[in-house]
Amino acid sequence: MKSVYGPLRSWRLGVAMGVDPICRQPKVCNYKCVYCRLGHGGIMVTERCRFVDERSVLEEARDLLKQHRVDAVEVRGTGEPFLAKNLAEIAKGLRELTDAPICVVTNGSMFCRPDVQSELDSFDIVVVKLDCSDHQTFLAINRPHNSVNYDRMMDFMLRARRSHKGSFRVQVTAVRQNLGEMERIVNICETFRPDVVYLNTPLRSTSSELSRRDLAEVAKLFSAFKVRTVFDGEP
Ligand code: SF4
């Protein structure tokens, strides 16, 4: 496995260099989302650890950026990126290597931690997961560690939205199991006013993914926002 990969065409950001601060197989996360592209196994943790050597990550990133121009750097992990306790050092090092915006894709569950709060402004773009509107559905869809409470998490997510200096975006993964949540998620977005709503569906899942047409119907509900779906840009 490599911590730095690409460049690849990200449906969120264009041509992006990927950085994985976890780099573990099976994944290391504090959720077990029903649709996770990394599979249902994995190690569930809540404490931050140093999973990769930040100097090696930055050397790999330097090499890649010498050879390729990218529109953005996308930090997303084989698990929740903020579980990496050297994430801020990685972001700071990346900042010295490129002028491209640095984005983190996170489940937002660790925004209650002061150390994580202070690290959010290391990123030009924060993309945060929002798949449900109450704790019961949260348990069914995202299957979090039992220390994560939906209402408390949403409270800290809203504080993060208000204090973050860069672009704050929301990613909604629509699956058959949370389709009934979409109107309530739109209501939550009206409070958050995200700069972009990314609408995803797990393309490799056979049981829960939505068709292009179904996701287009979901997108209509979010018409008050700038929306990009996982099918945008596909032939
Ligand atoms: S938060 Fe992301 S990595 Fe973790 S289980 Fe959910 S989809 Fe997988």
Side-chain angles (χ1 to χ4, degrees):
M1 295 187 71
K2 292 195 74 178
S3 289
V4 175
Y5 52 92
L8 43 76
R9 182 156 285 282
S10 157
W11 63 279
R12 284 174 286 254
L13 300 164
V15 177
M17 175 176 77
V19 176
D20 178 357
I22 306 284
C23 213
R24 286 285 184 281
Q25 185 69 275
K27 73 182 177 222
V28 177
C29 198
N30 54 359
Y31 284 14
K32 286 194 174 186
C33 300
V34 288
Y35 56 75
C36 183
R37 70 190 160 85
L38 303 168
H40 292 299
I43 302 162
M44 186 167 267
V45 298
T46 54
E47 284 310 309
R48 306 187 83 185
C49 299
R50 186 169 174 269
F51 298 101
V52 294
D53 175 48
E54 59 279 1
R55 285 162 304 187
S56 313
V57 171
L58 295 171
E59 268 169 37
E60 285 175 41
R62 182 179 291 112
D63 288 347
L64 189 146
L65 290 166
K66 266 187 205 154
Q67 296 173 51
H68 303 279
R69 275 205 53 186
V70 296
D71 299 326
V73 177
E74 188 174 72
V75 179
R76 62 200 274 260
T78 38
E80 167 52 37
F82 280 100
L83 284 169
K85 76 174 175 192
N86 54 355
L87 187 64
E89 287 163 85
I90 293 172
K92 190 165 164 247
L94 290 169
R95 172 83 60 212
E96 288 168 8
L97 295 177
T98 178
D99 293 332
I102 301 171
C103 167
V104 64
V105 183
T106 170
N107 64 27
S109 60
M110 299 178 73
F111 290 5
C112 54
R113 292 179 58 122
D115 53 348
V116 170
Q117 289 159 15
S118 68
E119 291 169 18
L120 283 174
D121 279 329
S122 309
F123 297 95
D124 304 294
I125 303 170
V126 173
V127 180
V128 71
K129 182 184 289 298
L130 179 59
D131 296 341
C132 38
S133 67
D134 61 34
H135 191 68
Q136 278 312 108
T137 324
F138 181 50
L139 293 181
I141 302 288
N142 299 117
R143 302 190 294 187
H145 185 271
N146 59 19
S147 62
V148 186
N149 173 274
Y150 176 84
D151 293 324
R152 184 163 184 267
M153 179 185 71
M154 294 303 287
D155 184 33
F156 279 99
M157 217 185 269
L158 187 56
R159 293 189 209 186
R161 195 290 169 258
R162 288 178 176 149
S163 64
H164 183 247
K165 295 189 177 73
S167 180
F168 196 93
R169 308 179 183 187
V170 158
Q171 177 161 308
V172 180
T173 299
V175 287
R176 306 239 157 258
Q177 298 93 317
N178 68 351
L179 265 186
E181 291 287 286
M182 292 299 145
E183 290 191 9
R184 289 187 288 273
I185 293 173
V186 171
N187 292 340
I188 295 170
C189 285
E190 278 163 8
T191 306
F192 273 77
R193 306 302 309 168
D195 297 299
V196 180
V197 175
Y198 293 113
L199 283 180
N200 194 14
T201 194
L203 298 180
R204 280 176 291 279
S205 158
T206 49
S207 57
S208 56
E209 78 175 81
L210 301 191
S211 66
R212 184 186 288 248
R213 183 185 294 177
D214 287 345
L215 200 64
E217 287 302 310
V218 173
K220 286 181 190 166
L221 299 173
F222 289 85
S223 60
F225 304 96
K226 184 174 176 190
V227 174
R228 186 157 181 83
T229 84
V230 67
F231 292 118
D232 288 341
E234 286 212 338

